[in-house]
């Protein structure tokens, strides 16, 4: 039975074109730097991000962890949003594996961090304090609603980072969604930073992988740490081949996912008991608050939808997250809306 899976865009499976490219991929040993398909993916990614080099990594989590471990020493501190994925959902890897400390600041309603607050949070030379080394910003900002962070803000943030002597890393898991929503080339959102991780395996449909990009020196160090973490993959060209299709083709169609998220948001928020908890969608995510008087038992909502082959995600005590992606079509969207309208009778 085919499910309409709105839990995340991580559930996307590769397209037929990707499977064909994977089967035909020319491969070699990537730990020796000899996989031509991985090399091609890495240079393509770096050029798109406006950076010198790329590094194919297993996941977004590994890309972010490597960026932190490459930049910081034990006892150093990284400033990030309290709703940042690196803080919330990366298993505390930076502390567990790097002995690195997170200083979280509140994300504002628009997903950004207040520049004045960052400025004040940066430590001085007091012997009692850890050294602040890095700022991480997420674009799109997942937990704030899949919100886009503008190029203007990014330039201001990078100027602040430079002034304070800090590295700036972007968790750009869905940076192409941000670029499409803002109608700008992706490097308008990334070129000012020191590093960026973006994911191939979310809305871009590849089965596995992310790319970490940065300067030549940064990537040389990160490559060594990737090996240390067991992420030195051998004939990884079979995976990178799908990633190349992601960059060439899948980045060009994300607007469709955004339009479907807007259609879902408009229709479902008109149904009594459901309101848009994070505002109108800017990209491919819809967050809905579920009123307690309509659905006192939250699990019933999930079960009723599942009976109609619809899977939804949960992001808070009474909050639902719906994520659109390549495998959610217009007829699925209409089926979801009709089912949802029948839930409340
Ligand atoms: N996010 C997943 C879950 O982990 C929550 C999702 O379903 O949204 N950065 C951001 C902004 C992310 O949203 C994610 C995944 C990651 C990093 C981690 O990527 P992976 O899963 O490849 O390690």
């Amino acid at each position: 039975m085919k499910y309409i899976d709105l839990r995340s865009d991580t559930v996307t499976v590769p397209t037929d074109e990707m499977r064909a490219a994977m089967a035909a991929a020319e491969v070699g040993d990537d730990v020796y730097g000899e996989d031509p398909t991985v090399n091609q993916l890495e240079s393509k990614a770096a050029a798109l991000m406006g950076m010198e080099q790329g590094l194919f990594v297993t996941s977004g989590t590994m890309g972010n962890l490597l960026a932190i471990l490459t930049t910081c020493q034990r006892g150093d501190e990284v400033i990030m949003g309290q709703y940042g994925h690196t803080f919330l959902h990366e298993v505390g890897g930076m502390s567990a594996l790097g002995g690195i400390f997170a200083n979280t600041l509140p994300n504002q309603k628009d997903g950004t961090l207040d520049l004045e607050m960052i400025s004040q949070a940066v430590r001085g030379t007091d012997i009692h304090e850890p050294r602040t080394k890095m700022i991480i910003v997420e674009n799109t900002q997942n937990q704030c609603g899949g919100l886009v962070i503008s190029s203007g803000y990014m330039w201001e943030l990078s100027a602040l980072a430079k002034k304070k002597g800090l590295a700036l890393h972007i968790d750009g898991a869905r940076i192409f969604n941000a670029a499409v929503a803002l109608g700008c080339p992706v490097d308008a959102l990334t070129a000012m930073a020191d590093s960026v991780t973006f994911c191939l395996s979310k809305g871009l449909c590849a089965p596995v992988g992310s790319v970490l990009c940065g300067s030549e020196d940064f990537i040389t160090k990160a490559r060594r740490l990737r090996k240390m973490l067991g992420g030195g993959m051998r004939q990884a060209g079979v995976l990178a081949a799908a990633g190349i299709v992601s960059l060439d083709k899948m980045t060009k169609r994300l607007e469709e996912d955004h339009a479907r998220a807007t259609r879902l948001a408009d229709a479902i928020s008109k149904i009594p008991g459901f309101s848009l908890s994070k505002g109108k969608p800017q990209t491919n995510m819809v967050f809905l608050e579920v009123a307690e008087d309509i659905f006192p038992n939250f699990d019933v909502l999930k079960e009723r939808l599942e009976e109609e082959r619809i899977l939804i995600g949960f992001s808070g005590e009474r909050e639902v997250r719906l994520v659109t992606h390549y495998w959610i079509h217009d007829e699925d969207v209409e089926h979801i809306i009709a089912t949802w309208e029948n839930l409340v009778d």
Side-chain angles (χ1 to χ4, degrees), residues 22-330:
M22 291 168 80
E26 205 186 319
V27 295
D29 191 325
D30 181 49
V31 174
Y32 296 160
E34 288 173 4
D35 188 303
T37 313
V38 172
N39 293 342
Q40 194 192 337
L41 172 70
E42 291 178 343
S43 9
K44 216 179 232 293
L48 280 168
M49 298 293 145
M51 295 198 177
E52 285 174 10
Q53 284 191 2
L55 182 69
F56 186 45
V57 295
T58 56
S59 64
T61 301
M62 182 185 262
N64 291 335
L65 178 63
L66 284 176
I68 298 170
L69 294 180
T70 301
T71 310
C72 303
Q73 300 293 316
R74 295 185 75 77
D76 288 346
E77 180 179 81
V78 181
I79 293 175
M80 64 185 75
Q82 66 181 13
Y83 295 132
H85 193 274
T86 306
F87 179 62
L88 292 178
H89 292 134
E90 293 176 14
V91 208
M94 57 185 278
S95 303
L97 303 173
I100 297 152
F101 192 55
N103 186 355
T104 53
L105 299 182
N107 285 93
Q108 303 184 100
K109 248 188 147 221
D110 66 359
T112 62
L113 303 180
D114 180 67
L115 296 176
E116 190 46 44
M117 266 195 188
I118 296 178
S119 194
Q120 282 171 19
V122 178
R123 315 281 191 149
T125 49
D126 189 318
I127 196 172
H128 298 87
E129 297 177 346
R131 284 170 306 189
T132 313
K133 276 290 172 61
M134 192 177 193
I135 306 173
I136 301 184
V137 65
E138 189 174 308
N139 198 5
T140 62
Q141 214 303 338
N142 182 343
Q143 274 299 305
C144 290
L147 300 185
V148 298
I149 310 293
S150 72
S151 178
Y153 174 84
M154 288 307 302
W155 280 108
E156 282 185 58
L157 183 60
S158 82
L160 173 63
K162 280 195 180 68
K163 190 169 137 203
K164 299 279 185 186
L166 309 180
L168 174 60
H169 175 70
I170 303 171
D171 175 357
R174 298 181 181 82
I175 196 80
F176 286 97
N177 293 80
V180 164
L182 288 164
C184 65
V186 74
D187 64 356
L189 303 175
T190 57
M192 72 295 284
D194 295 286
S195 54
V196 57
T197 305
F198 71 90
C199 296
L200 299 161
S201 64
K202 298 193 167 58
L204 303 185
C205 267
V208 179
S210 293
V211 186
L212 172 66
C213 298
S215 69
E216 191 182 335
D217 181 50
F218 172 89
I219 293 295
T220 303
K221 289 180 184 147
R223 194 177 287 280
R224 191 176 164 77
L225 287 166
R226 183 187 68 171
K227 187 77 182 78
M228 189 190 283
L229 293 180
M233 296 178 284
R234 301 294 179 170
Q235 286 72 34
V238 285
L239 300 174
I244 291 170
V245 179
S246 292
L247 292 181
D248 290 346
K249 297 278 173 69
M250 307 308 278
T251 54
K252 314 276 191 302
R253 55 150 309 280
L254 294 170
E255 190 53 48
E256 288 175 36
D257 300 340
H258 299 180
R260 289 185 182 118
T262 296
R263 166 85 183 115
L264 281 174
D266 286 348
I268 300 174
S269 63
K270 290 197 181 80
I271 302 170
F274 299 96
S275 55
L276 295 173
S277 49
K278 308 270 164 78
K280 286 184 192 248
Q282 293 183 358
T283 56
N284 66 332
M285 293 185 183
V286 183
F287 288 78
L288 295 155
E289 168 128 11
V290 185
E292 199 154 7
D293 50 338
I294 308 270
F295 271 100
N297 182 351
F298 207 31
D299 290 342
V300 173
L301 173 66
K302 181 174 173 255
E303 284 159 21
R304 298 265 303 272
L305 288 166
E306 221 166 297
E307 281 161 19
E308 288 296 327
R309 305 177 293 108
I310 300 165
L311 302 180
I312 58 172
F314 295 90
S315 54
E317 222 174 285
R318 300 208 55 87
E319 193 179 56
V320 165
R321 185 184 75 162
L322 311 179
V323 186
T324 54
H325 52 75
Y326 181 77
W327 297 105
I328 307 287
H329 306 118
D330 283 337

